[in-house]
DNA sequence: ATTGATATGTTATAATATAACATTTATTGT
DNA sequence: ACAATAAATGTTATATTATAACATATCAAT
């Protein structure tokens, strides 16, 4: 048996995104409660904005969306919230895009593997033990011990292939 | 038979780095000649500076090293050279560090897999077909076709483990 | 030599991220 | 409830990474 999960699948273009959003928020709520952490208004708001998009979201776009019709928030406001959300595994940074995505399953080990569609920018997240084990084993052959990883795979999702992209 | 290469191993702390540098430069020379491309003084200089370090190098550090004792070069000078070197596979960008490393084997397919030591910042590069195939196969199960990848593994090299880091 | 293509120089600015310190809000112990 | 403490957020400034746009220089082939 291999523990290989699809943490976030590619969404069909017609899916009801409010569902993922609600589910992600309530998972974050309960996880924070368990861990004795505070999902403050700001952190919650940022998490909503990250989940609210089908695509990886830029920090400064979040910043722009945060205005309480008063003055625009300053960068540290967003980066601190993102740091918290990343630390708790609610959000991941896509290094190759400098952008952030929601994590479908906060419970899982921190680093997922991301499939990024160059057609529609959709992202799927895997947590695949086969991949992780193979990489760890190859690394170990060189005497290297793995602590963490950044795995981002660029390509085309099924929908975009059909569209001829 | 599996085509799994170590493009750049971890260097023993005592190795003669001038050798890799010289070898990298002559490979770049000949590859450019074959491809009808110009390894200009600037591009060559940047390639030397990237190879000259055991660690991934920052673009602005290259910039600082470029001064012809006259005025400091401007960013596009370096970024354009890096773009060329990356395109031809002589240099890779480490996305998780925003830094650049020399590629041991320009002939290989563009994207390697990088082991990055958090102790000494050394980087090894693999071009491992087993890893690539496994990822491609996992992706295909979701209907995703792989075009490229960013694989960066953080951990500890053998030397740093011995030092108790 | 002239022309067209390629590469580099130069100036300005965009995009991404953090440092440092002030203020506010929540939590805890009394 | 209140003070003391801790945690989070606000605010200002600045660091870091990267690109756009246009001018000039160099190279390559006729």
């Amino acid at each position: 048996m291999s523990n290989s999960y699809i943490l976030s699948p590619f969404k069909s273009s017609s899916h009801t995104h409010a569902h993922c959003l609600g589910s992600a928020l309530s998972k974050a709520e309960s996880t924070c409660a368990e861990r004795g952490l505070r999902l403050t208004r700001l952190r919650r708001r940022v998490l909503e904005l990250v989940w609210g998009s089908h695509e990886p979201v830029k920090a400064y776009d979040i910043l722009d969306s945060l205005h309480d019709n008063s003055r625009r928030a300053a960068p540290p406001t967003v980066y601190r919230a993102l740091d918290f959300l990343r630390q708790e595994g609610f959000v991941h940074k896509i290094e190759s895009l400098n952008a952030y995505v929601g994590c479908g399953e906060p419970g899982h080990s921190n680093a997922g593997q991301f499939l990024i569609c160059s057609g529609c920018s959709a992202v799927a997240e895997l947590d695949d033990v086969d991949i992780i084990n193979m990489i760890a084993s190859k690394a170990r052959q060189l005497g290297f011990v793995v602590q963490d990883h950044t795995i981002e795979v660029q390509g085309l999702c099924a929908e975009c292939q059909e569209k001829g992209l």
Side-chain angles (χ1 to χ4, degrees), chain A:
Chain A
M1 170 234 183
S2 106
N3 293 318
S4 295
Y5 297 96
I6 301 167
L7 297 193
S8 312
F10 287 107
K11 281 88 177 171
S12 74
S13 47
S14 61
H15 85 129
T16 307
H17 196 56
H19 291 176
C20 341
L21 203 166
S23 145
L25 283 173
S26 62
K27 273 179 199 159
E29 293 280 10
S30 57
T31 305
C32 281
E34 281 167 23
R35 297 181 188 169
L37 299 169
R38 293 158 57 195
L39 188 62
T40 60
R41 231 175 78 83
L42 175 64
R43 290 165 173 175
R44 194 192 161 83
R45 192 83 201 294
V46 170
L47 184 55
E48 284 172 12
L49 288 167
V50 171
W51 268 107
S53 165
H54 271 173
E55 307 175 10
V57 183
K58 299 277 185 172
Y60 275 72
D61 289 343
I62 295 173
L63 208 43
D64 289 336
S65 306
L66 272 184
H67 57 51
D68 275 351
N69 63 17
S70 62
R71 187 147 83 264
R72 183 171 175 276
T77 300
V78 159
Y79 283 105
R80 278 191 294 228
L82 286 172
D83 286 347
F84 170 85
L85 296 169
R86 290 171 66 188
Q87 198 142 24
E88 300 309 322
F90 304 144
V91 158
H92 293 292
K93 180 178 184 185
I94 305 293
E95 297 286 352
S96 58
L97 297 174
N98 293 323
Y100 303 83
V101 293
C103 175
E105 288 291 345
H108 282 248
S109 79
N110 237 358
Q113 302 88 43
F114 301 92
L115 307 181
I116 305 166
C117 180
S118 49
C120 63
S121 299
V123 173
E125 178 181 2
L126 313 181
D127 183 4
D128 190 301
V129 168
D130 297 333
I131 295 173
I132 292 174
N133 283 346
M134 173 170 282
I135 289 177
S137 136
K138 298 283 185 173
R140 202 166 42 238
Q141 289 170 25
L142 298 177
F144 187 90
V145 171
V146 174
Q147 292 168 335
D148 197 2
H149 68 244
T150 302
I151 299 181
E152 301 171 5
V153 182
Q154 292 79 32
L156 281 179
C157 74
E159 276 193 16
C160 284
Q161 290 166 57
E162 281 167 18
K163 286 182 196 154
L165 302 183

